[in-house]
Each structure stands twice: as C-alpha cells, then as structure tokens.
Amino acid sequence: MDTTVPVPNAPGLPRAEWVKTLPQTIVASCVLLLDAEDRILLLRYAGGLPAAGLWGLPGGMLDHGEDPVGAARRELHEETGITLEEDLRFLGYDHRADVLETGPVIDFYFHGGRLPAGQPVRRSVEHDRHGFFALAELESTPLATGLPTLAALLDAARTGTVVCLREGLPG
C-alpha cells in the first residue's frame, strides 16, 4: 500500500513526514459559570505561573484523546472542585493566531449555568483567588480572558446564541 501523500514542493513525502508539516494548534476548553446576579466566576492565576496575577475563566488544555466537553468538565472540577451534573451548553469558540509565541490556540467555551448561592469553590494550587464579577467591575482588572470575550460569552449565555471569536473579538 502506498502511504505517500502529494505535498506541494515535496511530492511523494511519506505520510509520517507529511503529518509533521501540518500546523500544530493548542486546543483548550473553558466554562462560563454565573451566579444569580449574572456575575461571572473568575479565578486568578497564582504567582510563578506564566499568567500570574491575571483573572480568567476556569479551563485549560485538552489532554491527548480528550474531547472539548470532557476537558471543560475536568478542568472545572480540577480548578474549582465543582462537578456539574447538567449538560454544558456550547457558547462558542475563539481562534487566536499566536499566544505567547506558542502558535495558534482554539478555545472552546461552554455555559455551565448558574451556581446556587453558597456554592463552595475549592481552588487548585494554580489559582490564589476567585470571585464573581459583573462586567462593569472588570474595566481595570488584569484579565487572561479579555473583556470583549467575556462580554460576548455573557451575551451568548443570556440569549441562547453561539459566538465565533477571532483574537478575542466577535468577527
């Protein structure tokens, strides 16, 4: 069986070599959780991490073989101790061409619903603070997930729509 794949400027390249020429993209999943007042749960990255001092949604990179919904559930539990029983609703995605010189990143966003009052949040060691924030409170907050992204996701959660972002902006 012939396993070569025609590639411009490299005809007959063996498949294993051709695969190495494909773009590598980091894939992550994040969860938008709200309280009864439509405030967003954010976590602050602890010192010593690349994003130290920045606030962002619970979430992280997919493990090998993991799907975006599974990663969202796992990351949410690892970072907050929260396990959601209901389905996560797809809110949208963000494609960023290059993040911190690591190359392209695609973030998948899911809505985890509203947390009941008094729901405990058990932070992982990678976060040193958490809180629920209204968008207006975040104007001068250092964010890992930008304010336009959070605004678009909150709107999608409220309206039942899906948002497609590019570089954190609706496009």
Side-chain angles (χ1 to χ4, degrees):
M1 170 184 228
D2 184 10
T3 61
T4 59
V5 178
V7 177
N9 300 325
L13 190 66
R15 187 176 195 294
E17 293 301 312
W18 170 75
V19 168
K20 291 178 185 176
T21 70
L22 298 175
Q24 300 296 303
T25 301
I26 295 171
V27 180
S29 287
C30 300
V31 180
L32 179 80
L33 288 171
L34 304 173
D35 68 3
E37 299 165 30
D38 270 358
R39 296 181 303 170
I40 301 168
L41 174 64
L42 296 177
L43 307 171
R44 188 175 78 174
Y45 288 97
L49 295 172
L54 300 179
W55 292 81
L57 296 170
M61 292 183 280
L62 276 65
D63 288 341
H64 185 73
E66 190 174 39
D67 68 88
V69 173
R73 288 186 175 284
R74 176 185 53 75
E75 287 285 348
L76 178 65
H77 181 72
E78 288 175 3
E79 295 184 353
T80 68
I82 296 171
T83 301
L84 298 176
E85 299 302 323
E86 61 273 359
D87 289 338
L88 296 177
R89 187 174 75 73
F90 180 65
L91 284 179
Y93 71 88
D94 183 15
H95 176 265
R96 295 176 289 152
D98 188 27
V99 177
L100 301 174
E101 299 181 13
T102 60
V105 173
I106 297 175
D107 292 311
F108 287 94
Y109 293 102
F110 298 92
H111 186 213
R114 295 185 190 283
L115 290 177
Q119 167 73 50
V121 175
R122 188 189 72 232
R123 292 185 306 272
S124 68
V125 296
E126 68 183 284
H127 299 98
D128 60 8
R129 290 183 61 194
H130 73 277
F132 286 91
F133 299 90
L135 289 177
E137 296 174 286
L138 298 172
E139 294 289 332
S140 61
T141 303
L143 297 169
T145 307
L147 194 54
T149 300
L150 293 173
L153 294 172
L154 181 59
D155 183 60
R158 288 174 173 162
T159 60
T161 58
V162 172
V163 64
C164 300
L165 305 170
R166 206 171 14 186
E167 304 298 339
L169 302 171

